[in-house]
Amino acid sequence: MMRAPLVIALAAVLGLAVAPPAALAQSRGGAPDGFSHLAEAGRPAVVSSVPTQEQGAAAPGRPGPGGPLPPGMEEFFERFGEDFFDRFFDERPPPGPQRGLGSGFVIDPSGFVVTNAHVVEGAAEIEVVFDEGPRLAAEVVGTDARTDLALLQVETDEPLPALQWGESEGAAIGDWVVAIGNPFGLGGSVTAGVISARARDIRAGPYDEFLQTDAAINRGNSGGPLLDMNGRVIGVNTAIFSPTGGSIGIGFAIPASIARPVIDQLRDTGSVRRGWLGVQIQPITPEIGRALGLDEAQGALVSSVIEGTPAAEAGVEVGDVILRFADRAIEEVRDLTRAVAEAPVGEPAEMVLWRNGEQLSLAPRIALLEEEPQQQAEAQPVPESGPLGMSLSELTPEARAELGIDAEVEGVVVTDVAPGSPAFRQGMVPGDVIMRVGDRAVQSPEQVAEAIDTAREGGQEAVLVLRQREDQQSFVALPVEEGAG
């Protein structure tokens, strides 16, 4: 209890200037005195977004904080979710139109309001309600499902209080933040916390780079702002991890660096234009990196090139590693996803590749991304025997029919995988089609075995196998050490 006074007294004897303990804590980034200034400035611009669903439509926001939980959390909801809603609401919604919950914030005094796309999805009517102000009908200017953002517009005779965008790129882990929104219909609620993590990928979409916060976010907070200590919007609250549907201190916000350009495009055109290259890509694991001769496990590995696309026309090949795109180094897959999305449509983009141990440059002309239907195929095994713990069979017409494999797919089908084998450890499963081993296309089990033997004799630790599973192609690095199979 006496340590701080003793330190100060000793410093005084030595003639040193010493800050009191409170000042020392503040200089190390201690807690602020309060958040009332942020609440006072921010609450007038934050609205409760109240969409009315048609009878029988699912209410937005269920089971997350205004929207679906990320993949992998569905079983939590199945286990806890219904009980949670029963406890809070006691009964099922009555027949007729249902009113949902959500939040939003004014970004322009003329009446533009930002919220989440899932908040307004399927809404017949939308109202925005100010905490201490009017209740206004809103029209949807545009939505973007890929980032879960929407822009609304309300008619107003008077300028509305509005928030300004901040710089999410400068936000650091441990920085204080404030969330304002409409949790459980309790509009104008303010919660505070810190940024717990940056650039979180929760597999909610192709451009995931969420800010994670422990500021309480609950059902109804979706679409509300996450403010920095200057009162600027650095994120749009959108999802939580929770086994109960309520806050457990793990919430996610779309960073302003992603949200702002999307909202600007929605305002200008009502839609979002993104670039498209026409490749399937996968991460470079250390094993894949070694198999490709890369010094570091970085870049995006091309596992498939779609015919007639910018990538195909520019000469991109399966097995290429994209190291740079435009002026951006590609450290991981999402770096390329974002860089291509932001590239000007119709313009060439300089791209640096790694191919067969050398770098080369290509300049594909970027196309416009459009929605593509996902195809599914069922795989059933068909027995026989081969290397690295895999039983292999030729891809006969009968096997194609049984496995649902397209006629243009060429390769060898995996019919069984021995538990504990190299192939098993690397995730190979019956029904996979091996299309290539190393740089060699294969059409028989013997060719697969020969290519693996060649890699082993050449002193390689692993061989790169191009695998087709359902409608996706990906590379797998299979170890080829002696005795591996």
Side-chain angles (χ1 to χ4, degrees), residues 107-479:
I107 205 66
D108 186 296
S110 65
F112 287 96
V113 177
V114 174
T115 187
N116 280 144
H118 72 253
V119 169
V120 299
E121 183 180 4
E125 297 176 350
I126 304 166
E127 284 186 319
V128 297
V129 182
F130 289 82
D131 194 44
E132 296 178 1
R135 189 181 193 105
L136 301 174
E139 296 290 333
V140 177
V141 176
T143 63
D144 180 49
R146 290 176 182 271
T147 54
D148 194 21
L149 289 166
L151 182 65
L152 311 178
Q153 186 172 21
V154 298
E155 295 292 334
T156 177
D157 295 329
E158 307 250 339
L160 298 173
L163 295 174
Q164 294 184 329
W165 293 110
E167 297 296 330
S168 59
E169 296 295 330
I173 295 172
D175 281 355
W176 284 97
V177 287
V178 165
I180 307 179
N182 181 36
F184 304 112
L186 303 172
S189 294
V190 178
T191 56
V194 299
I195 294 175
S196 309
R198 291 176 48 90
R200 282 290 195 217
D201 182 356
I202 61 174
R203 303 185 185 279
Y207 311 113
D208 282 15
E209 204 164 292
F210 291 102
L211 297 174
Q212 181 182 323
T213 179
D214 65 352
I217 296 173
N218 287 286
R219 172 171 151 79
N221 270 109
S222 273
L226 189 71
L227 305 178
D228 64 15
M229 293 303 290
N230 295 314
R232 295 179 182 270
V233 179
I234 59 168
V236 182
N237 301 320
T238 193
I240 58 172
F241 272 130
S242 172
T244 63
S247 173
I248 59 168
I250 305 177
F252 302 98
I254 304 160
S257 59
I258 291 176
R260 185 174 186 174
V262 168
I263 294 301
D264 287 347
Q265 284 197 61
L266 291 177
R267 181 171 176 174
D268 292 342
T269 66
S271 62
V272 178
R273 285 169 59 88
R274 290 191 174 92
W276 185 55
L277 187 57
V279 293
Q280 289 180 2
I281 52 176
Q282 68 179 86
I284 303 287
T285 64
E287 296 81 7
I288 288 176
R290 287 194 292 271
L292 289 168
L294 288 166
D295 293 333
E296 295 181 63
Q298 62 182 28
L301 176 60
V302 178
S303 59
S304 176
V305 180
I306 301 169
E307 225 175 295
T309 63
E313 291 171 0
V316 178
E317 297 179 3
V318 170
D320 287 346
V321 178
I322 300 174
L323 300 174
R324 294 191 67 84
F325 184 90
D327 58 350
R328 194 176 300 188
I330 306 302
E331 300 290 336
E332 53 187 353
V333 162
R334 66 181 170 190
D335 293 337
L336 181 63
T337 304
R338 283 193 61 188
V340 172
E342 294 167 7
V345 173
E347 299 292 327
E350 188 74 20
M351 193 163 67
V352 178
L353 308 175
W354 177 263
R355 180 186 295 170
N356 298 328
E358 296 181 350
Q359 287 192 13
L360 70 152
S361 295
L362 298 176
R365 190 173 295 275
I366 302 304
L368 178 66
L369 175 66
E370 296 176 356
E371 296 293 334
E372 293 183 285
Q374 294 293 315
Q375 298 176 352
Q376 298 295 325
E378 302 240 343
Q380 303 293 330
V382 203
E384 232 176 82
S385 173
L388 298 180
M390 295 180 290
S391 294
L392 305 173
S393 176
E394 290 188 7
L395 200 47
T396 62
E398 294 76 21
R400 287 183 187 279
E402 188 171 354
L403 296 169
I405 297 171
D406 291 341
E408 62 267 17
V409 175
E410 296 291 343
V412 179
V413 68
V414 178
T415 61
D416 197 14
V417 181
S421 66
F424 179 88
R425 293 197 302 270
Q426 295 304 107
M428 298 295 289
V429 298
D432 287 347
V433 176
I434 296 175
M435 303 176 68
R436 234 171 67 176
V437 180
D439 58 358
R440 179 175 172 182
V442 292
Q443 293 187 336
S444 70
E446 293 75 20
Q447 288 178 339
V448 174
E450 288 169 12
I452 289 172
D453 287 342
T454 300
R456 185 181 286 136
E457 291 163 6
Q460 291 181 228
E461 293 180 20
V463 64
L464 210 56
V465 170
L466 179 62
R467 170 185 66 189
Q468 171 100 9
R469 177 178 292 172
E470 296 184 343
D471 63 339
Q472 299 290 313
Q473 290 180 15
S474 60
F475 282 98
V476 180
L478 297 181

